Amino acid sequence: MNLHQSILEYRKGRYGWWALLLILAAIVLFASHSDFQPPNGGTWQGYVLGSIGLALIVWLTALGIVKRRYGKSNVQAWTSAHVYLGASLLIVVSLHSALQIGLNVHSLAYVLMCVVIFSGFIGLYFYRRYPHLMARNRRNQSQRQLFSELNDLNQKGRALAKRCHPNLASAVDTAIDRTAIGGGFLDQLLGRDGSTVVLIEEDKKGGVQRKPVSNRDQQAIIDYVAKCIPRARKQGEAENIQSLLEVVCRRQTLSRQLRQDIKFDARLKVWLWVHVPFTIALLAALAIHILSVFYYW
């Protein structure tokens, strides 16, 4: 059973039904307010709903610890419950507060909770989508294996290029040295390719011109190597360049795979940079909310 594809369907959506029952119970409890006591967090119904919300928040934050201690089936159960009960928390706490929003710590806790819940929805989408894309992109290889193969190709490419014209060898060296995989945060997140290459061309007077150009997706070096095949003069040089062309084409495929893999991994992690810090902030605001309520009670 695949965690990323089955958490919503786990045990035929058992925790979805639990969440629905919890929401219905919260609505019934909220509707029990009398005409003499308008709904708010200070009624006994409000305290009950608030206590339920607190228990849910504390329990939901435990998932990060629990999933590292138990087996896969337990992780699936906890994650499924986390998603459904986390969604129901939005209704429970909204009824607890009766949507009385103001410029105070109580409303801050509510807003932080909303950010955490909706970032959780985004995380659910990411974890249902990207692991599948990563597995398909890697083609049964790990990221380490892909990098290892790329390094082997770099060595093979340099060795083949040395048997060819010096201009071609120099271009291949710069293409390898200036291949950009990963890079800064935005480069990883967007899968941008900042690779460059220095191409060497001879002018009509026999001089040499070095032209640094973009080597996005390794296309510039592939085109350059391909153009060198009919220009080969020495015996066996055309065969070496043909072999070199196969190497640079394979490097292109690997570079694409690695860039995609890094992009997917970055997108899986980036939502945690919102979800986790806001969860910690929520717990802090919640503690202040509870202490202030009991202080003025």
Side-chain angles (χ1 to χ4, degrees), residues 7 9 14 26 33 44 103 119 138 162 186 189 227 247 261 295:
I7 55 176
E9 298 83 17
R14 171 197 292 179
H33 281 97
W44 72 266
L103 297 177
S119 68
R138 288 180 178 180
K162 286 182 180 178
L186 286 179
L189 197 63
K227 289 179 182 178
V247 169
D261 190 69
Y295 180 79

Side-chain angles (χ1 to χ4, degrees), residues 119-183:
S119 68
F121 291 154
I122 294 173
L124 173 65
Y125 169 77
F126 282 179
Y127 273 89
R128 283 177 63 85
R129 173 176 171 79
Y130 288 123
H132 170 70
L133 294 177
M134 290 174 74
R136 187 172 64 181
N137 175 64
R138 288 180 178 180
R139 299 173 187 173
N140 298 320
Q141 289 182 288
S142 67
Q143 188 180 102
R144 179 177 295 182
Q145 288 174 320
L146 292 175
F147 270 115
S148 177
E149 184 180 354
L150 181 63
N151 288 333
D152 290 342
L153 287 173
N154 290 343
Q155 295 177 12
K156 185 177 180 180
R158 292 182 195 274
L160 286 169
K162 286 182 180 178
R163 304 175 193 168
C164 304
H165 193 280
N167 291 350
L168 177 56
S170 178
V172 170
D173 280 339
T174 62
I176 293 173
D177 292 338
R178 300 188 181 196
T179 296
I181 298 177

Side-chain angles (χ1 to χ4, degrees), residues 168 171-172 174-176 178-179 193 195-201 211-228 245 248-249 251-252 256:
L168 177 56
V172 170
T174 62
I176 293 173
R178 300 188 181 196
T179 296
D193 185 358
S195 300
T196 60
V197 61
V198 179
L199 301 181
I200 302 176
E201 300 287 353
K211 296 169 46 180
V213 299
S214 170
N215 192 29
R216 183 180 179 182
D217 197 32
Q218 302 298 306
Q219 195 58 51
I221 188 62
I222 289 175
D223 293 340
Y224 186 79
V225 173
K227 289 179 182 178
C228 289
L245 181 61
V248 294
C249 286
R251 286 188 76 255
Q252 180 188 56
R256 286 175 180 171

Side-chain angles (χ1 to χ4, degrees), residues 31-286:
S32 68
H33 281 97
S34 65
D35 295 335
F36 301 102
Q37 197 172 29
N40 65 81
T43 64
W44 72 266
Q45 294 96 331
Y47 279 115
V48 172
L49 289 170
S51 298
I52 295 172
L54 172 63
L56 278 175
I57 289 172
V58 172
W59 180 84
L60 290 169
T61 56
L63 175 65
I65 300 174
V66 171
K67 70 180 182 180
R68 289 173 173 80
R69 292 186 177 180
Y70 298 103
K72 184 177 180 180
S73 62
N74 285 306
V75 171
Q76 290 170 338
W78 275 75
T79 307
S80 182
H82 185 92
V83 171
Y84 283 116
L85 295 178
S88 70
L89 179 64
L90 185 62
I91 305 299
V92 171
V93 176
S94 296
L95 294 176
H96 159 68
S97 66
L99 291 179
Q100 295 177 355
I101 306 298
L103 297 177
N104 50 57
V105 70
H106 314 297
S107 297
L108 175 62
Y110 179 79
V111 171
L112 289 172
M113 182 203 70
C114 290
V115 173
V116 171
I117 290 174
F118 285 109
S119 68
F121 291 154
I122 294 173
L124 173 65
Y125 169 77
F126 282 179
Y127 273 89
R128 283 177 63 85
R129 173 176 171 79
Y130 288 123
H132 170 70
L133 294 177
M134 290 174 74
R136 187 172 64 181
N137 175 64
R138 288 180 178 180
R139 299 173 187 173
N140 298 320
Q141 289 182 288
S142 67
Q143 188 180 102
R144 179 177 295 182
Q145 288 174 320
L146 292 175
F147 270 115
S148 177
E149 184 180 354
L150 181 63
N151 288 333
D152 290 342
L153 287 173
N154 290 343
Q155 295 177 12
K156 185 177 180 180
R158 292 182 195 274
L160 286 169
K162 286 182 180 178
R163 304 175 193 168
C164 304
H165 193 280
N167 291 350
L168 177 56
S170 178
V172 170
D173 280 339
T174 62
I176 293 173
D177 292 338
R178 300 188 181 196
T179 296
I181 298 177
F185 169 70
L186 286 179
D187 293 328
Q188 294 183 37
L189 197 63
L190 301 176
R192 293 192 303 208
D193 185 358
S195 300
T196 60
V197 61
V198 179
L199 301 181
I200 302 176
E201 300 287 353
E202 295 182 1
D203 56 28
K204 295 180 180 179
K205 297 180 180 180
V208 174
Q209 292 183 340
R210 297 178 178 270
K211 296 169 46 180
V213 299
S214 170
N215 192 29
R216 183 180 179 182
D217 197 32
Q218 302 298 306
Q219 195 58 51
I221 188 62
I222 289 175
D223 293 340
Y224 186 79
V225 173
K227 289 179 182 178
C228 289
I229 295 176
R231 300 176 186 174
R233 298 173 183 175
K234 296 180 181 179
Q235 186 177 6
E237 186 178 5
E239 289 79 3
N240 282 334
I241 300 176
Q242 182 62 47
S243 298
L244 180 60
L245 181 61
E246 294 173 3
V247 169
V248 294
C249 286
R250 178 56 185 163
R251 286 188 76 255
Q252 180 188 56
T253 299
L254 284 174
S255 298
R256 286 175 180 171
Q257 287 180 269
L258 284 166
R259 200 167 288 109
Q260 283 287 90
D261 190 69
I262 292 171
K263 179 178 73 173
F264 294 150
D265 188 56
R267 292 183 179 183
L268 280 176
K269 291 177 180 177
V270 70
W271 82 273
L272 286 173
W273 297 349
V274 174
H275 194 69
V276 173
F278 272 93
T279 298
I280 296 171
L282 168 60
L283 293 174
L286 190 60

